[in-house]
Amino acid sequence: MEAPYRYDLMPLETPDESPAWADYLDVFRFGFLQTAATDEGLATYRTHRRQDGAWLGRVTTEGPGLDGRRAVAAFASAPSTINCGRGLVDALVINTVAVRPSHRRRGLLSHMMRQQLDAARDHGRALATLTASEATIYGRYGFGVSTHVHPIEVRTDRFTFRPDVPVAAGSIEFVPPAFLKDHWQRLTRAHQARHRGAVGHLHGHFLIDTGQWDSRDNGPARSLRCAVHFSPAGEVDGFALFTPNGWDEEPITVTVRKVCAPDESVSRALWRAMADMDLVERLNLDFSMPGDPLAASLTDPWAVRTKEGDDPAWLRILDLPSATAQRGFDGEGSVVVEIADAMGYCSGVWRLQAHDGHGTAERSDDAPEAALSVDVLGTMWHGDRTAAELALSGLVRGERSAVMRLSRLFQVDERPINLASF
Ligand SMILES: CC(C)(COP(=O)(O)OP(=O)(O)OC[C@H]1O[C@@H](n2cnc3c(N)ncnc32)[C@H](O)[C@@H]1OP(=O)(O)O)[C@@H](O)C(=O)NCCC(=O)NCCS
């Protein structure tokens, strides 16, 4: 990146009245073909970025058509955590990236990525994660798809749980989303602590889930509805968020935005409450994980139809020894792997070992038994794909016995579940 381009972090203390805020946010709004932000939208952005302790990376420049030095590229991220099967691991969540079309393909994204990943590693973060708008951008930076989703469509007329499947006792009430303000943090954190692959929610998620912000309404949410479940002791132990699609759509459909309950039997109670709503023929959930447990628990599993999948979370390993030490291993074994990493963070030959739930990654002089690139390791990290499956795609190479050992080393007892996208 050459002068007059300059990279820096926009301070979160930048005064509210500074035009730098609108300048910064508009790089994203423009990049994603949205209208310029309203004053309310800008204020909301300032609030949630400050709450998150975000890193507002930007590239500024000057030249014809620019009123002084202006931001032409931006890269917003925030510290968060990921459940890697053994507690929560510090990670960098990359929220939004955009470069003005007039400054594209000059290496600005690559420069911002390097700056932020270096800084994350220097701050002791072993992992970085993001949501991609295109599948071809982030592999070169070492990110691999770590959790897939397969949207589901549920027929309410065929929705009955098998008699042997427990559904939580207690009661359901439909409440304004703002009701969640006192319960949201406890429940989302408990859900994250329960599920491997779950990424921590940010303040923006809080604003959205409690109805304080909806980007489609450019203000408070008007269409978001909420169901909460109360335990027999009266404690709120789960919630579901949903939006009716309206009368024009046939069959009449409700889009389920989120079902968050650390206990699966409470999730079932919430699903049943939504399926029991009069007039509703379909419940659609976009954020459903492969192997979603709902279908198997119904008398008629065909009531749930799985649609084509998507990939909301990508993972980048920045510090292999630290990330390995913080990952819970359900499998056991030892294998020497050669990892290719164009950015250098994890490249080299490593002995990966796991025993009794604990893993280590140590540099090794032994001959590698398997070879893969760091983005492929990211895809294996939460168990979304096994080494054996990835070998079938030509992404893990080596003797079959070594590939199988690598598969068993990274095997997980439960598939990853993540409710947050960024
Ligand atoms: C995607 C975007 C951020 C790329 O910014 P950029 O500054 O042009 O990227 P760079 O110049 O640093 O390019 C780095 C590499 O990525 C490649 N690349 C960039 N954008 C790409 C895309 N959309 N698809 C595939 N490859 C892409 C470049 O060809 C280059 O490849 P190379 O390293 O082999 O030469 C920019 O095009 C953009 O703002 N797009 C609209 C918003 C968007 O999609 N943001 C990403 C949201 S997840």
Side-chain angles (χ1 to χ4, degrees):
M1 199 182 72
E2 292 177 4
Y5 290 125
R6 195 190 296 157
Y7 173 83
D8 71 349
L9 289 182
M10 185 170 94
L12 292 171
E13 315 75 56
T14 301
D16 289 5
E17 56 282 6
S18 167
W21 281 104
D23 195 33
Y24 187 83
L25 182 54
D26 201 50
V27 177
F28 298 140
R29 305 279 307 181
F30 190 105
F32 292 103
L33 309 176
Q34 296 165 313
T35 57
T38 58
D39 288 347
E40 191 183 2
L42 194 58
T44 303
Y45 188 73
R46 277 194 300 267
T47 303
H48 77 77
R49 298 294 47 194
R50 284 173 175 156
Q51 286 280 343
D52 291 337
W55 290 349
L56 304 181
R58 65 184 169 184
V59 174
T60 57
T61 192
E62 48 201 3
L66 296 172
D67 186 12
R69 178 161 280 280
R70 302 294 294 266
V72 292
F75 188 118
S77 65
S80 187
T81 53
I82 305 178
N83 181 334
C84 291
R86 191 166 166 232
L88 304 184
V89 180
D90 284 337
L92 184 76
V93 169
I94 297 170
N95 294 103
T96 344
V97 180
V99 176
R100 278 228 192 270
S102 41
H103 298 266
R104 280 184 191 155
R105 309 299 178 262
R106 299 181 199 182
L108 301 194
L109 167 61
S110 297
H111 186 85
M112 295 188 294
M113 183 69 81
R114 169 61 83 179
Q115 294 289 327
Q116 293 239 356
L117 294 186
D118 278 0
R121 203 183 133 131
D122 291 348
H123 280 76
R125 300 193 179 273
L127 303 171
T129 184
L130 55 75
T131 302
S133 61
E134 285 180 72
T136 47
I137 302 176
Y138 296 106
R140 64 170 54 70
Y141 303 117
F143 288 85
V145 177
S146 58
T147 31
H148 281 87
V149 287
H150 289 277
I152 54 172
E153 179 185 86
V154 182
R155 285 186 59 146
T156 57
D157 59 336
R158 289 157 66 171
F159 189 100
T160 314
F161 285 112
R162 286 169 50 133
D164 55 342
V165 166
V167 180
S171 62
I172 296 274
E173 192 50 87
F174 293 91
V175 296
F179 178 90
L180 289 180
K181 283 181 186 173
D182 295 338
H183 310 282
W184 181 90
Q185 195 166 68
R186 174 177 55 83
L187 291 171
T188 53
R189 283 194 179 163
H191 189 277
Q192 187 198 8
R194 167 70 184 79
H195 291 287
R196 186 190 283 270
V199 182
H201 284 64
L202 299 173
H203 193 67
H205 296 110
F206 172 71
L207 297 178
I208 292 167
D209 288 356
T210 54
Q212 297 176 75
W213 180 255
D214 187 325
S215 56
R216 284 155 305 180
D217 294 328
N218 233 335
R222 284 181 289 130
S223 56
L224 189 68
R225 301 291 186 180
C226 180
V228 288
H229 183 267
F230 294 88
S231 71
E235 192 192 26
V236 176
D237 54 8
F239 66 89
L241 293 165
F242 58 92
T243 309
N245 292 11
W247 288 104
D248 297 337
E249 191 170 308
E250 285 284 339
I252 295 176
T253 301
V254 160
T255 299
V256 180
R257 307 243 162 246
K258 186 175 281 184
V259 179
C260 178
D263 179 336
E264 276 305 319
S265 71
V266 174
S267 290
R268 288 182 210 115
L270 288 160
W271 272 107
R272 187 170 63 189
M274 291 187 287
D276 280 350
M277 290 190 296
D278 284 341
L279 307 176
V280 177
E281 294 167 283
R282 298 284 186 279
L283 296 171
N284 286 356
L285 173 68
D286 287 342
F287 237 67
S288 176
M289 302 301 139
D292 190 280
L294 183 66
S297 58
L298 299 180
T299 306
D300 177 358
W302 292 359
V304 179
R305 197 157 61 87
T306 302
K307 298 198 238 165
E308 200 184 331
D310 203 350
D311 48 42
W314 294 55
L315 188 72
R316 210 287 177 215
I317 296 149
L318 291 168
D319 181 334
L320 188 57
S322 166
T324 308
Q326 296 180 82
R327 181 186 187 276
F329 281 81
D330 297 338
E332 303 245 333
S334 171
V335 57
V336 179
V337 295
E338 178 161 28
I339 295 175
D341 182 347
M343 295 185 83
Y345 297 112
C346 301
S347 46
V349 177
W350 300 86
R351 177 172 291 280
L352 302 176
Q353 295 190 84
H355 181 62
D356 256 355
H358 299 265
T360 55
E362 289 169 352
R363 295 229 175 250
S364 174
D365 295 326
D366 295 343
E369 302 167 283
L372 65 162
S373 58
V374 70
D375 60 307
V376 177
L377 190 61
T379 294
M380 286 162 46
W381 204 254
H382 298 318
D384 189 80
R385 293 282 185 279
T386 68
E389 286 167 338
L390 293 162
L392 290 175
S393 304
L395 296 171
V396 176
R397 296 161 297 278
E399 289 288 330
R400 189 174 146 77
S401 64
V403 172
M404 296 304 154
R405 246 185 301 131
L406 189 58
S407 255
R408 288 194 292 275
L409 185 66
F410 277 91
Q411 78 179 49
V412 296
D413 292 342
E414 269 185 355
R415 302 186 74 162
I417 293 184
N418 170 38
L419 292 182
S421 72
F422 349 97

